[in-house]
Amino acid sequence: LCVILLVIARVAFLRRFDQILNAFLRPRHLSILVSEGNLMKDRITPPLLILQLFSYGLLIYLLASVIAASPAQRWLNPRLFFFILGGYALFYFLRMMTIQLLSRLFSPREVTHTYLINSLVMDEISGILLLPVSLALLVSGKEYASLVFFLSVGCLILFLLYRLIRNFMVGLSNAKFSRFYLFLYLCTVEILPILVVGKLINDWL
């Protein structure tokens, strides 16, 4: 399903896909992406968004399975996968709604729009890049499971840090955006949710 969604996005919306990829790699290309239309309402967003949700949900499920189960019991709990997938999807949309709510209270609308688009770009491309990581974790043998596990966790942490840095840069680049509100944004919608989810996963394990 993820590969089909990626092919649809790449073939049917080639120009827009390249713009999203360039915005992920080069911060200055983000303004070009924003000026060419609202990415949140673009036709390329649904396939990439679904792909991203499945990609992150799958990776979290595989990581949890490696920690919580013996090798013989791994990958055998589809209900757990869909529970994690649903929980991540709920978390993702609540996060986006929180950003929009905070924008109405504290910041100019155009700044928040750029912040949302940047977050969307980070999530969509990282979802694509994490697919091979999930595949490697899925097919890794017993002798390589620990190595692949730590590499997978490292990749996930790097993507989260990259998104945090890029969102911080978006706030700093706009003089209208208060540094206090930028700190509030990052703590509320970036750092705090990760800490809460990490605590919940730790308690569950």
Side-chain angles (χ1 to χ4, degrees), residues 73-135:
Q73 296 173 321
R74 289 180 192 166
W75 337 130
L76 298 179
N77 194 340
R79 287 189 298 177
L80 176 60
F81 167 69
F82 285 108
F83 176 79
I84 291 176
L85 178 62
Y88 175 72
L90 178 62
F91 160 77
Y92 183 81
F93 288 114
L94 285 177
R95 174 175 167 268
M96 288 297 188
M97 291 173 60
T98 302
I99 295 175
Q100 292 182 327
L101 175 62
L102 291 176
S103 71
R104 296 179 183 275
L105 298 176
F106 301 120
S107 66
R109 188 176 297 273
E110 64 272 11
V111 180
T112 307
H113 178 69
T114 304
Y115 188 100
L116 279 169
I117 297 302
N118 184 71
S119 295
L120 190 60
V121 168
M122 296 296 104
D123 293 335
E124 289 178 346
I125 299 299
S126 63
I128 295 172
L129 297 178
L130 284 174
L131 275 178
V133 177
S134 298
L135 180 61

Side-chain angles (χ1 to χ4, degrees), residues 83-203:
F83 176 79
I84 291 176
L85 178 62
Y88 175 72
L90 178 62
F91 160 77
Y92 183 81
F93 288 114
L94 285 177
R95 174 175 167 268
M96 288 297 188
M97 291 173 60
T98 302
I99 295 175
Q100 292 182 327
L101 175 62
L102 291 176
S103 71
R104 296 179 183 275
L105 298 176
F106 301 120
S107 66
R109 188 176 297 273
E110 64 272 11
V111 180
T112 307
H113 178 69
T114 304
Y115 188 100
L116 279 169
I117 297 302
N118 184 71
S119 295
L120 190 60
V121 168
M122 296 296 104
D123 293 335
E124 289 178 346
I125 299 299
S126 63
I128 295 172
L129 297 178
L130 284 174
L131 275 178
V133 177
S134 298
L135 180 61
L137 188 61
L138 181 64
V139 301
S140 61
K142 185 177 180 180
E143 62 276 15
Y144 300 110
S146 297
L147 175 62
V148 177
F149 171 82
F150 287 111
L151 289 175
S152 303
V153 172
C155 290
L156 184 59
I157 292 174
L158 283 176
F159 282 128
L160 293 176
L161 286 175
Y162 184 55
R163 185 181 70 190
L164 182 65
I165 293 171
R166 284 289 299 270
N167 284 334
F168 184 73
M169 291 171 60
V170 168
L172 289 180
S173 64
N174 196 300
K176 298 179 181 179
F177 202 80
S178 166
R179 300 298 180 267
F180 171 75
Y181 296 144
L182 175 60
F183 177 76
L184 178 64
Y185 257 75
L186 294 178
C187 289
T188 304
V189 302
E190 300 290 350
I191 301 174
L192 182 61
I194 294 175
L195 295 177
V196 172
V197 172
K199 180 65 167 59
L200 292 175
I201 292 176
N202 181 70
D203 290 345

